[in-house]
Amino acid sequence: MATHPLVDMSGVEVDATRLQTFTSAFRGAVIRDGDAEYDAARRIWNGSIDKYPGAIARCTGLADVVAAVRFARENGLLVAIRGGGHNVGGRALCDGGMVIDLSGMKGIHVDAAARRVRAQPGVLLGELDRETHVYGMAVPLGVVSKTGIAGLTLGGGVGWLARKYGLTCDNVVSFELVTADGDVRRASADEHPDLYWALRGGGGNFGVVTSFEYQLHPVSLVLGGLLIHPRESAADLLRFYRSFLQSAPDELAAYGALMYTPDGHPVAAVAVCYSGDLGEGERVLAPLRTFGSPIADLVQPIPMPVMQSLLDGAVPDGNQNYWKSAFLRELSDEAIDTILEHTNQATSPMTAVLIEQYGGAAGRVGTTDTAFAQRHAQYDLGILTQWMDPAESPRHIAWTRGFAEAMGRFASGDYLLNFLGDESDDIIRSAFGVNHPRLVEVKTKYDPDNFFKVNQNIRPAAAAGV
Ligand SMILES: Cc1cc2nc3c(=O)[nH]c(=O)nc-3n(C[C@H](O)[C@H](O)[C@H](O)COP(=O)(O)OP(=O)(O)OC[C@H]3O[C@@H](n4cnc5c(N)ncnc54)[C@H](O)[C@@H]3O)c2cc1C
C-alpha cells in the first residue's frame, strides 16, 4: 500500500477502479507513490519544499488537462498546477491531492511575419528565448532561464525588457485555458475580456492555461553583463546607481546586487542590460562603467538568450531557499545603509540581495488596465536567502525575517506577487492592490468553489469568509 495515496479533500482514498479508468485513458504518465519516478517528480526548484502528492498527472496536451481537471473535480481532489516549478513557496505541489503537471508540454511556434509566438505552459524562459532568437526577436521575460513562462506570466513578469517593452503579461495577446468546469476557453481582448484582464497579473486562480500567445519584439544582441565592485564600495556604488538611473532611458535595465563570488568573497555588483542601439548603449553606460574601481567589467555585446541566463549560476536547482521581497518607497541613504548593515551580516554566503528598478513602459500601463496593479513602484528589494543544509534552516530564516522587518519602515506596503514566498493572506492581497475586488468578481464567476486554491489565492465571494 502506498504511504501517500490519492485522497480527496476529506482524506478519503479515491476508489481504485475510478483511478484506473482515469489513468488508462490519460495519454501522459500518472505518477504515484511507489513508482520509480515519484521522488524525482515531486521535486521542484526550492529544495526546502517536501510535499507528497497522491498523484502527479503529467499532461501531454490539452485533452489530458481537461481529463485531469474533470477527474479532480468529480472526485473532490485538492489540485496544484505545476509549470516550471519555480514558485518559491512551493505552490506547484500539494499534499495528498493531484498535481496537474505541465512540465512536459513544451511546444513553441514562432510566427515571425506576425511577430507572435505561441508556447505551451511547460516551456522555460530559456527555451522560449532560444526559439525566438532564431528570428532576432524576444518576449520580455524574467532574468533566470530556468523559470517557467507560465507562473511568471500569470504573476506579471518583470525582467530586462520591462522598461522598454512592458511586463511579460503586457505582451500576452491571448490565452487558452481549462477552467474549473473542465471547459476550454480562450481569453483575449475580444473573447472573455474579463478573464483576459484577470490572467494578466492574477496568478493561477482562474484555470489551467494551456497556451500563451505573445507579441514579439526585435531584440537580438544587447549590451549587458555584470560590473563587480568590492563590497567595501557598496554604499557609494548604490548611491551612484540610484542617481544614474534617474535619467536612464527605457532601453536600460540595471539591478543592484550584493552577493558573493563562487569562492566566498562578498562583492557589490550592478547587472545591466541595454536593449537598444549598441553604440548608444556604450555612451549611456559609460558613467556607470567608469565609476569607482570595479574588480571586473564584464559588460559586452551578448545575444539576448545569454543575457537571460547570466544569473542562472546564482540560483541553482535544489538549494534550500527562503525569500522575502517588498517594494521600497524610495532608495534613500538610510535604506541603503540598512540594506548593507544586514547584508554584511548574512548567515549564508550563498545569499543574494537584489535591488531591481522597473518603471519605463511597465510603469506607463494604467494600474487597472490589467490585474497587475503595482505599476508605479520603482525599486523592489529581494532578499534571496539560500543554503544547503536543512539543519541550518532556522538560522537563515531568522536572519531573513530580521532583515525584512528592519526594512519595513522603508517599504511602500506593496508587493510583487511573483517574488512572494510563503506569505500571509494579507500580504498576498496587498500584491493585488486596488485590483483585488475586481479579481474576486472574476474568480467568483469562473471558479465559484475555489477549485484552484493552491496558489496565491483570490477567494471567490461566497468563500471569502472561509
Ligand atoms: C530563480 C528564480 C528567478 C526568478 N526570476 C524572476 C524574474 O526575473 N521575474 C519575475 O517576474 N519572476 C521571477 N521569479 C518568480 C517566478 O516568476 C514565479 O515563481 C513563478 O510562479 C514561476 O513560474 P513557474 O511556472 O516556474 O512556477 P510553478 O511553481 O510551476 O507555478 C507557480 C504557480 O503558478 C501557477 N501556474 C503555473 N502554471 C500555470 C498554468 N499553466 N496555468 C495556471 N496557473 C499556473 C500556479 O498557481 C502555480 O502554483 C523567479 C523565481 C525564481 C525561483
Side-chain angles (χ1 to χ4, degrees):
M1 213 175 87
T3 319
H4 303 283
L6 181 63
V7 292
D8 67 16
M9 279 187 268
S10 334
V12 177
E13 190 165 345
V14 172
D15 176 75
T17 313
R18 287 163 89 173
L19 181 55
Q20 182 54 41
T21 309
F22 164 70
T23 306
S24 53
F26 198 75
R27 199 170 128 228
V30 178
I31 303 165
R32 304 184 56 214
D33 185 14
D35 293 340
E37 314 95 300
Y38 182 72
D39 277 330
R42 66 179 192 87
R43 208 168 291 142
I44 54 172
W45 169 82
N46 185 356
S48 305
I49 307 295
D50 189 25
K51 293 189 184 170
Y52 291 86
I56 299 168
R58 282 240 165 107
C59 301
T60 55
L62 176 65
D64 275 356
V65 176
V66 171
V69 167
R70 291 189 176 161
F71 178 78
R73 176 125 219 159
E74 284 157 14
N75 290 281
L77 305 182
L78 183 67
V79 157
I81 309 171
R82 176 184 177 142
H86 268 55
N87 175 277
V88 186
R91 294 181 180 86
L93 300 176
C94 58
D95 280 313
M98 174 181 274
V99 174
I100 299 185
D101 182 343
L102 308 163
S103 60
M105 290 175 62
K106 289 203 179 276
I108 302 173
H109 180 255
V110 179
D111 181 343
R115 289 197 172 179
R116 299 272 167 93
V117 57
R118 256 181 212 283
Q120 288 187 307
V123 169
L124 307 181
L125 268 55
E127 294 163 346
L128 189 63
D129 277 337
R130 182 171 158 78
E131 296 301 317
T132 62
H133 188 67
V134 171
Y135 298 96
M137 292 193 269
V139 177
L141 297 167
V143 302
V144 171
S145 74
K146 289 171 86 179
T147 318
I149 60 161
L152 178 123
T153 304
L154 295 168
V158 289
W160 298 125
L161 302 179
R163 287 171 51 79
K164 175 78 173 147
Y165 296 116
L167 303 179
T168 312
C169 72
D170 299 334
N171 288 278
V172 180
V173 182
S174 71
F175 301 87
E176 175 190 75
L177 73 159
V178 179
T179 41
D181 49 14
D183 284 352
V184 180
R185 292 183 156 93
R186 264 177 62 85
S188 67
D190 305 320
E191 296 159 283
H192 301 101
D194 51 355
L195 266 181
Y196 180 57
W197 175 85
L199 289 166
R200 289 174 295 156
N205 276 286
F206 306 97
V208 185
V209 178
T210 47
S211 171
F212 295 83
E213 183 186 8
Y214 299 98
Q215 192 183 342
L216 284 163
H217 299 279
V219 181
S220 186
L221 273 188
V222 296
L223 187 62
L226 283 170
L227 288 162
I228 304 173
H229 289 248
R231 179 69 68 81
E232 302 79 64
S233 316
D236 291 340
L237 180 67
L238 289 179
R239 283 170 169 77
F240 184 79
Y241 162 84
R242 176 185 62 195
S243 60
F244 172 73
L245 285 185
Q246 257 149 28
S247 57
D250 289 354
E251 284 76 10
L252 179 64
Y255 292 179
L258 301 166
M259 51 196 211
Y260 295 81
T261 58
D263 56 356
H265 289 293
V267 293
V270 182
V272 299
C273 173
Y274 186 90
S275 55
D277 174 79
L278 296 183
E280 178 62 8
E282 294 281 0
R283 194 192 63 73
V284 168
L285 282 170
L288 186 62
R289 295 175 77 181
T290 50
F291 174 79
S293 310
I295 304 168
D297 175 349
L298 306 174
V299 178
Q300 57 192 304
I302 46 175
M304 190 61 198
V306 176
M307 181 75 223
Q308 297 272 73
S309 49
L310 216 60
L311 304 182
D312 285 11
V315 278
D317 291 358
N319 278 347
Q320 307 287 307
N321 274 274
Y322 187 79
W323 289 16
K324 286 272 181 197
S325 111
F327 282 113
L328 303 181
R329 280 194 313 276
E330 54 172 341
L331 191 59
S332 60
D333 283 355
E334 228 188 325
I336 291 175
D337 292 344
T338 309
I339 291 169
L340 285 172
E341 183 192 324
H342 284 264
T343 308
N344 289 339
Q345 292 167 19
T347 46
S348 167
M350 300 172 82
T351 293
V353 173
L354 285 185
I355 299 165
E356 304 194 349
Q357 186 234 16
Y358 309 128
R364 289 192 287 272
V365 175
T367 306
T368 57
D369 288 0
T370 69
F372 186 92
Q374 313 298 350
R375 297 284 178 176
H376 304 297
Q378 282 288 332
Y379 292 100
D380 188 75
L381 175 74
I383 310 169
L384 319 183
T385 309
Q386 290 185 75
W387 64 102
M388 290 181 83
D389 182 357
E392 294 177 2
S393 300
R395 187 158 64 96
H396 301 305
I397 291 173
W399 172 81
T400 316
R401 288 187 177 152
F403 186 175
E405 269 163 37
M407 292 306 295
R409 63 201 166 108
F410 308 109
S412 68
D414 300 314
Y415 298 90
L416 187 65
L417 193 71
N418 271 353
F419 288 167
L420 292 181
D422 197 8
E423 299 291 355
S424 66
D425 285 356
D426 299 0
I427 289 186
I428 290 170
R429 199 182 174 125
S430 309
F432 295 117
V434 295
N435 289 328
H436 189 262
R438 190 168 160 199
L439 282 163
V440 172
E441 280 174 32
V442 183
K443 178 78 173 175
T444 309
K445 180 171 167 190
Y446 291 97
D447 185 13
D449 304 322
N450 207 9
F451 176 69
F452 297 111
K453 58 163 79 73
V454 182
N455 48 34
Q456 286 149 331
N457 199 227
I458 296 160
R459 291 194 180 139
V466 178

